[in-house]
PDB file of all heavy atoms in Angstrom:
ATOM      1  N   ASP A 182     -21.667 -39.274 148.847  1.00 93.00           N
ATOM      2  CA  ASP A 182     -20.559 -39.601 149.665  1.00 93.00           C
ATOM      3  C   ASP A 182     -19.462 -39.981 148.685  1.00 93.00           C
ATOM      4  O   ASP A 182     -19.443 -40.976 148.085  1.00 93.00           O
ATOM      5  CB  ASP A 182     -20.892 -40.854 150.570  1.00 93.00           C
ATOM      6  CG  ASP A 182     -19.717 -41.273 151.430  1.00 93.00           C
ATOM      7  OD1 ASP A 182     -18.561 -40.673 151.218  1.00 93.00           O
ATOM      8  OD2 ASP A 182     -19.909 -42.169 152.255  1.00 93.00           O
ATOM      9  N   HIS A 183     -18.419 -39.120 148.642  1.00 90.00           N
ATOM     10  CA  HIS A 183     -17.273 -39.291 147.649  1.00 90.00           C
ATOM     11  C   HIS A 183     -16.455 -40.542 147.882  1.00 90.00           C
ATOM     12  O   HIS A 183     -15.730 -41.027 147.014  1.00 90.00           O
ATOM     13  CB  HIS A 183     -16.435 -38.098 147.602  1.00 90.00           C
ATOM     14  CG  HIS A 183     -15.561 -37.893 148.827  1.00 90.00           C
ATOM     15  ND1 HIS A 183     -15.997 -37.341 149.964  1.00 90.00           N
ATOM     16  CD2 HIS A 183     -14.252 -38.278 149.021  1.00 90.00           C
ATOM     17  CE1 HIS A 183     -15.026 -37.334 150.874  1.00 90.00           C
ATOM     18  NE2 HIS A 183     -13.935 -37.864 150.346  1.00 90.00           N
ATOM     19  N   THR A 184     -16.594 -41.119 149.073  1.00 92.00           N
ATOM     20  CA  THR A 184     -15.855 -42.351 149.407  1.00 92.00           C
ATOM     21  C   THR A 184     -16.641 -43.581 148.973  1.00 92.00           C
ATOM     22  O   THR A 184     -16.139 -44.720 149.095  1.00 92.00           O
ATOM     23  CB  THR A 184     -15.555 -42.449 150.903  1.00 92.00           C
ATOM     24  OG1 THR A 184     -16.763 -42.604 151.684  1.00 92.00           O
ATOM     25  CG2 THR A 184     -14.829 -41.200 151.384  1.00 92.00           C
ATOM     26  N   ARG A 185     -17.917 -43.423 148.625  1.00 91.00           N
ATOM     27  CA  ARG A 185     -18.772 -44.508 148.242  1.00 91.00           C
ATOM     28  C   ARG A 185     -18.760 -44.717 146.721  1.00 91.00           C
ATOM     29  O   ARG A 185     -18.548 -43.764 145.924  1.00 91.00           O
ATOM     30  CB  ARG A 185     -20.238 -44.213 148.689  1.00 91.00           C
ATOM     31  CG  ARG A 185     -21.243 -45.313 148.463  1.00 91.00           C
ATOM     32  CD  ARG A 185     -22.556 -44.911 149.073  1.00 91.00           C
ATOM     33  NE  ARG A 185     -23.060 -43.637 148.598  1.00 91.00           N
ATOM     34  CZ  ARG A 185     -23.980 -42.904 149.192  1.00 91.00           C
ATOM     35  NH1 ARG A 185     -24.508 -43.316 150.364  1.00 91.00           N
ATOM     36  NH2 ARG A 185     -24.399 -41.791 148.657  1.00 91.00           N
ATOM     37  N   VAL A 186     -19.013 -45.962 146.219  1.00 90.00           N
ATOM     38  CA  VAL A 186     -19.024 -46.244 144.815  1.00 90.00           C
ATOM     39  C   VAL A 186     -20.345 -46.908 144.546  1.00 90.00           C
ATOM     40  O   VAL A 186     -20.609 -48.009 144.964  1.00 90.00           O
ATOM     41  CB  VAL A 186     -17.824 -47.191 144.368  1.00 90.00           C
ATOM     42  CG1 VAL A 186     -17.970 -47.451 142.804  1.00 90.00           C
ATOM     43  CG2 VAL A 186     -16.489 -46.514 144.678  1.00 90.00           C
ATOM     44  N   PRO A 187     -21.238 -46.229 143.695  1.00 91.00           N
ATOM     45  CA  PRO A 187     -21.093 -44.811 143.243  1.00 91.00           C
ATOM     46  C   PRO A 187     -21.262 -43.838 144.374  1.00 91.00           C
ATOM     47  O   PRO A 187     -21.910 -44.143 145.361  1.00 91.00           O
ATOM     48  CB  PRO A 187     -22.186 -44.697 142.181  1.00 91.00           C
ATOM     49  CG  PRO A 187     -23.173 -45.663 142.592  1.00 91.00           C
ATOM     50  CD  PRO A 187     -22.498 -46.869 143.221  1.00 91.00           C
ATOM     51  N   ALA A 188     -20.764 -42.615 144.125  1.00 93.00           N
ATOM     52  CA  ALA A 188     -20.864 -41.600 145.225  1.00 93.00           C
ATOM     53  C   ALA A 188     -22.315 -41.190 145.426  1.00 93.00           C
ATOM     54  O   ALA A 188     -22.729 -40.841 146.592  1.00 93.00           O
ATOM     55  CB  ALA A 188     -20.002 -40.379 144.849  1.00 93.00           C
ATOM     56  N   ALA A 189     -23.129 -41.064 144.374  1.00 93.00           N
ATOM     57  CA  ALA A 189     -24.448 -40.682 144.423  1.00 93.00           C
ATOM     58  C   ALA A 189     -25.409 -41.889 144.782  1.00 93.00           C
ATOM     59  O   ALA A 189     -25.295 -42.908 144.158  1.00 93.00           O
ATOM     60  CB  ALA A 189     -24.966 -40.006 143.134  1.00 93.00           C
ATOM     61  N   LEU A 190     -26.281 -41.695 145.762  1.00 94.00           N
ATOM     62  CA  LEU A 190     -27.245 -42.767 146.095  1.00 94.00           C
ATOM     63  C   LEU A 190     -28.241 -42.901 145.089  1.00 94.00           C
ATOM     64  O   LEU A 190     -28.714 -44.025 144.803  1.00 94.00           O
ATOM     65  CB  LEU A 190     -27.870 -42.366 147.463  1.00 94.00           C
ATOM     66  CG  LEU A 190     -28.908 -43.390 147.979  1.00 94.00           C
ATOM     67  CD1 LEU A 190     -28.253 -44.750 148.301  1.00 94.00           C
ATOM     68  CD2 LEU A 190     -29.535 -42.838 149.277  1.00 94.00           C
ATOM     69  N   LEU A 191     -28.636 -41.762 144.354  1.00 94.00           N
ATOM     70  CA  LEU A 191     -29.733 -41.801 143.385  1.00 94.00           C
ATOM     71  C   LEU A 191     -29.165 -41.552 141.987  1.00 94.00           C
ATOM     72  O   LEU A 191     -28.310 -40.653 141.814  1.00 94.00           O
ATOM     73  CB  LEU A 191     -30.788 -40.705 143.735  1.00 94.00           C
ATOM     74  CG  LEU A 191     -31.379 -40.803 145.116  1.00 94.00           C
ATOM     75  CD1 LEU A 191     -32.438 -39.681 145.259  1.00 94.00           C
ATOM     76  CD2 LEU A 191     -32.060 -42.157 145.382  1.00 94.00           C
ATOM     77  N   ALA A 192     -29.667 -42.228 141.033  1.00 92.00           N
ATOM     78  CA  ALA A 192     -29.315 -42.072 139.646  1.00 92.00           C
ATOM     79  C   ALA A 192     -30.514 -42.001 138.790  1.00 92.00           C
ATOM     80  O   ALA A 192     -31.565 -42.559 139.188  1.00 92.00           O
ATOM     81  CB  ALA A 192     -28.339 -43.195 139.166  1.00 92.00           C
ATOM     82  N   PRO A 193     -30.528 -41.382 137.591  1.00 92.00           N
ATOM     83  CA  PRO A 193     -31.646 -41.402 136.705  1.00 92.00           C
ATOM     84  C   PRO A 193     -32.162 -42.795 136.514  1.00 92.00           C
ATOM     85  O   PRO A 193     -31.443 -43.727 136.183  1.00 92.00           O
ATOM     86  CB  PRO A 193     -31.136 -40.826 135.431  1.00 92.00           C
ATOM     87  CG  PRO A 193     -29.981 -39.926 135.898  1.00 92.00           C
ATOM     88  CD  PRO A 193     -29.374 -40.616 137.017  1.00 92.00           C
ATOM     89  N   GLY A 194     -33.575 -42.972 136.668  1.00 90.00           N
ATOM     90  CA  GLY A 194     -34.217 -44.210 136.497  1.00 90.00           C
ATOM     91  C   GLY A 194     -34.322 -45.065 137.808  1.00 90.00           C
ATOM     92  O   GLY A 194     -35.096 -46.040 137.845  1.00 90.00           O
TER      93      GLY A 194
END
Side-chain angles (χ1 to χ4, degrees):
D182 180 354
H183 71 277
T184 67
R185 182 174 59 197
V186 180
L190 181 63
L191 305 180

